[in-house]
């Protein structure tokens, strides 16, 4: 279990650039794993495997997973990525604060943390070759309704994805409100479906 020690505004936050360049504080294979920051902390920007054709999965917020010690959600993400023809996966999140219980996420939006998260997303999208469209799996589920600031945060991620021509996908049945399915309870034989993220965002915007 991981419950934040306090609001993210009360802890020291490394910028994404500094976190990307930081030295690991725990042993793992850096040639296989992409882990930013490269140690366990109150927040996590990126966790994934290295490859030339990654599936970028976006959940709500990170939990306890780390290289070589994936939680059940990340195990499902890895399985679905490989069964769908991708050689790697990258787990990203709408909000980077670690919390096993989403109810313990920040009550107040941390704009600085979000800005660094956007920098991390830009970096992830840039890992694709110029002639490739990044494959982005919307996977935040109904938890998008957990905090008011999460919807605007998603809209920012979508806008950034458009700069890179991202191809949005979902796996599994969507909720009645149109929210994409969370990875944890997906069938093993789930296949990707195109996700009209513009229409989804338009519906979200009406709720702001």
């Amino acid at each position: 279990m991981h419950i934040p020690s306090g609001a993210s505004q009360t802890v020291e936050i490394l910028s994404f650039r500094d976190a990307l360049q930081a030295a690991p504080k725990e042993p793992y294979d850096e040639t296989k794993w992409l882990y930013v920051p490269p140690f366990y902390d109150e927040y996590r920007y990126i966790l994934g495997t290295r490859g030339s054709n990654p599936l970028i999965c976006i959940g709500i917020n990170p939990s306890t997973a780390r290289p070589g010690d994936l939680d059940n959600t990340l195990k499902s993400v890895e399985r679905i990525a490989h069964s769908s023809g991708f050689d790697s996966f990258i787990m990203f999140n709408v909000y980077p604060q670690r919390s096993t219980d989403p109810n313990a996420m920040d009550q107040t939006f941390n704009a600085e943390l979000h800005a660094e998260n956007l920098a991390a997303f830009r970096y992830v999208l840039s890992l694709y070759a110029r002639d490739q469209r990044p494959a982005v799996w919307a996977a935040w589920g109904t938890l998008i309704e957990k905090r008011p600031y999460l919807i605007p945060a998603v809209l920012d991620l979508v806008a950034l994805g458009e700069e890179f021509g991202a191809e949005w996908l979902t796996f599994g049945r969507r909720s009645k409100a149109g929210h994409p399915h969370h990875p944890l309870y997906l069938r093993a034989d789930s296949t990707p479906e195109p996700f009209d993220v513009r229409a989804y965002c338009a519906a979200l915007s009406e709720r702001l």
Side-chain angles (χ1 to χ4, degrees), residues 141-185:
T142 58
L143 290 173
I144 191 67
E145 300 180 1
K146 185 63 67 173
R147 292 286 186 270
Y149 57 75
L150 293 173
I151 289 177
V154 164
L155 298 180
D156 287 344
L157 293 176
V158 171
L160 187 52
E162 287 188 345
E163 292 184 26
F164 290 81
E167 176 185 11
W168 288 81
L169 309 168
T170 57
F171 290 80
R173 183 177 298 178
R174 297 168 204 162
S175 74
K176 290 183 179 180
H179 301 314
H181 201 291
H182 189 278
L184 186 56
Y185 302 110

Side-chain angles (χ1 to χ4, degrees), residues 6-202:
S8 64
Q9 292 88 345
T10 66
V11 299
E12 183 178 356
I13 301 292
L14 281 179
S15 70
F16 171 70
R17 175 173 293 185
D18 287 346
L20 183 63
Q21 297 174 350
K25 294 182 181 179
E26 53 194 81
Y28 65 91
D29 186 350
E30 294 181 72
T31 66
K32 176 183 177 181
W33 294 98
L34 180 60
Y35 185 38
V36 186
F39 46 82
Y40 195 92
D41 211 325
E42 291 286 305
Y43 59 98
R44 190 189 75 211
Y45 296 123
I46 302 169
L47 172 59
T49 51
R50 297 183 184 273
S52 60
N53 183 34
L55 175 60
I56 303 167
C57 179
I58 304 183
I60 278 293
N61 71 298
S63 183
T64 60
R66 62 182 79 189
D69 187 18
L70 302 182
D71 57 24
N72 289 333
T73 295
L74 269 291
K75 289 176 182 177
S76 179
V77 170
E78 183 175 42
R79 181 180 65 251
I80 292 293
H82 289 163
S83 66
S84 301
F86 297 90
D87 67 355
S88 52
F89 76 91
I90 294 175
M91 189 69 211
F92 195 78
N93 289 279
V94 176
Y95 199 66
Q97 182 188 32
R98 281 193 197 258
S99 180
T100 306
D101 180 2
N103 289 311
M105 281 194 298
D106 284 340
Q107 294 289 339
T108 302
F109 179 58
N110 187 331
E112 178 186 0
L113 187 59
H114 176 60
E116 297 304 331
N117 203 43
L118 289 177
F121 191 46
R122 179 178 291 277
Y123 171 80
V124 168
L125 293 169
S126 74
L127 295 178
Y128 273 83
R130 288 184 177 273
D131 59 347
Q132 283 183 293
R133 295 182 64 192
V136 182
W137 172 9
W140 45 79
T142 58
L143 290 173
I144 191 67
E145 300 180 1
K146 185 63 67 173
R147 292 286 186 270
Y149 57 75
L150 293 173
I151 289 177
V154 164
L155 298 180
D156 287 344
L157 293 176
V158 171
L160 187 52
E162 287 188 345
E163 292 184 26
F164 290 81
E167 176 185 11
W168 288 81
L169 309 168
T170 57
F171 290 80
R173 183 177 298 178
R174 297 168 204 162
S175 74
K176 290 183 179 180
H179 301 314
H181 201 291
H182 189 278
L184 186 56
Y185 302 110
L186 282 175
R187 290 169 53 97
D189 59 353
S190 296
T191 56
E193 299 179 7
F195 184 40
D196 187 346
V197 74
R198 289 186 177 182
Y200 176 75
C201 285

